[in-house]
Amino acid sequence: MAQSDFRLGIVGVGRMGANMARRLQELHYPVVSVYDADAPRAQALAQELGCAAAPTLVGLVEPANTVLTVVSNDEAMRRIYAPGSADSLLRQATGRLFINCATLSPALQREVHTLVEQQGGQCLEACMASSITQARQGTLYLMCGGRPDVFERARPLLNALSAHLRYIGPAGEAAEVKALVNMVMNANTAALAEGLGLGSALGLDLTMLREVFSQTGANSRVLETDGEDMQHRAHECYFSAAHAAKDSGIACALAEQVGLDLPLATATYEQYRRLVAIGKGEMDKSAVAELTFKERATESRTGE
């Protein structure tokens, strides 16, 4: 499809979805409608972009031929694609392309693909291994799953959103790869938090320690993005602890399905679940350091 052929509807305009919408409009892709369960959020973005804030999912789809969904979890995805609901994306699926960008369980991605195709539409998963800044700049890392011809149909749009675009395979496989990406990233984040937490308890200079980490086998992408934030307790949210817990949980469930014991992934999952339980789920994933710095961990236990 050429750029002018797309008429875009976007479901879920939180941090990621809203910045994807801004990026696409900036490149003159016609964003015709937006929808969010938080209606005022959708209305504010619609006013900014000069498009419609649809009060219903059916209303969002009607003027669009391509729908991007950026929802938070499996439960939200099931709601927007509910087969028996009077307000479901499936009601207007015929002839339309649906691109699902959230990190979801692979089984649900496959289920949604089947439901959309049964209604005469096309479906693609485009899992994002990036954060808010990349969404706004159009430099996402996108991993796609579905039919190859559908991927080619969506390619111009996906190129506008990404710096790295990769076709993984059939429906569900991109979701599997994304779960593993986030499983490893979250484990790296938790390990870094423990290293800096122990360094702090030993009285080491953490700026020096981060520099040494960066020059040795302790180096990682997470050190670059989260190390300074952990040191200075700057946990402005780019990827929330709640999402980290969800995604590590998806990976652990996949491991259980194939009979693998993953103790590091399981321990990481439990750390993020604990962070959510003490009310820090909306902080950035770097806030896992609040559990590993001695004085902060005491504060967290006091607040439990």
Side-chain angles (χ1 to χ4, degrees):
M1 293 172 66
Q3 179 174 330
S4 58
D5 293 332
F6 288 97
R7 298 190 307 280
L8 302 174
I10 300 177
V11 178
V13 290
R15 298 183 186 98
M16 293 297 287
N19 280 308
M20 292 165 70
R22 293 182 180 107
R23 167 67 178 175
L24 290 168
Q25 191 207 49
E26 196 171 73
L27 295 180
H28 306 294
Y29 277 85
V31 177
V32 296
S33 57
V34 296
Y35 171 90
D36 198 280
D38 181 347
R41 177 190 288 167
Q43 290 161 4
L45 183 65
Q47 184 174 9
E48 177 187 337
L49 299 182
C51 68
T56 64
L57 293 165
V58 171
L60 173 120
V61 178
E62 284 176 347
N65 61 13
T66 304
V67 175
L68 281 76
T69 68
V70 196
V71 298
S72 56
N73 52 37
D74 280 18
E75 181 182 358
M77 191 71 160
R78 287 193 177 94
R79 185 182 70 82
I80 66 175
Y81 282 104
S85 173
D87 189 31
S88 166
L89 295 178
L90 296 174
R91 292 281 176 176
Q92 300 283 340
T94 304
R96 290 179 170 86
L97 170 62
F98 296 84
I99 302 174
N100 301 313
C101 300
T103 300
L104 306 168
S105 66
L108 183 57
Q109 289 281 20
R110 295 185 183 101
E111 180 183 335
V112 168
H113 274 70
T114 299
L115 289 170
V116 169
E117 289 182 347
Q118 287 173 345
Q119 297 301 317
Q122 292 183 317
C123 199
L124 190 76
E125 61 196 271
C127 303
M128 304 179 290
S130 309
S131 67
I132 299 163
T133 302
Q134 287 73 45
R136 183 65 184 90
Q137 295 173 345
T139 56
L140 295 168
Y141 192 115
L142 292 179
M143 296 165 284
C144 299
R147 299 184 185 276
D149 60 314
V150 178
F151 172 70
E152 291 303 326
R153 176 184 176 187
R155 184 190 286 272
L157 177 64
L158 299 175
N159 277 332
L161 291 169
S162 66
H164 303 279
L165 179 61
R166 184 163 192 149
Y167 176 72
I168 301 295
E173 286 194 5
E176 290 173 346
V177 172
K178 176 62 190 302
L180 299 186
V181 167
N182 282 13
M183 179 190 81
V184 173
M185 176 185 71
N186 294 340
N188 284 343
T189 307
L192 175 62
E194 292 192 356
L196 293 177
L198 179 54
S200 175
L202 294 171
L204 296 173
D205 180 333
L206 295 190
T207 300
M208 173 276 296
L209 185 59
R210 288 193 292 109
E211 184 176 344
V212 172
F213 281 176
S214 73
Q215 296 168 346
T216 62
N219 195 19
S220 69
R221 172 68 174 150
V222 167
L223 174 63
E224 180 184 339
T225 59
D226 291 10
E228 186 175 2
D229 292 347
M230 289 180 179
Q231 178 179 346
H232 298 296
R233 305 186 80 171
H235 304 307
E236 180 182 354
C237 188
Y238 291 91
F239 180 76
S240 74
H243 280 115
K246 170 185 64 95
D247 296 352
S248 285
I250 291 171
C252 288
L254 290 173
E256 186 175 353
Q257 289 171 22
V258 297
L260 275 181
D261 180 27
L262 301 180
L264 294 179
T266 301
T268 299
Y269 178 37
E270 291 304 323
Q271 280 289 81
Y272 277 108
R273 288 183 66 189
R274 183 179 165 207
L275 203 57
V276 172
I278 62 174
K280 299 182 186 293
E282 293 309 307
M283 289 186 173
D284 191 79
K285 65 180 173 62
S286 63
V288 71
E290 299 301 298
L291 304 178
T292 61
F293 279 64
K294 194 172 182 179
E295 66 282 3
R296 303 180 199 176
T298 301
E299 291 175 16
S300 295
R301 282 193 296 271
T302 302
E304 287 184 78

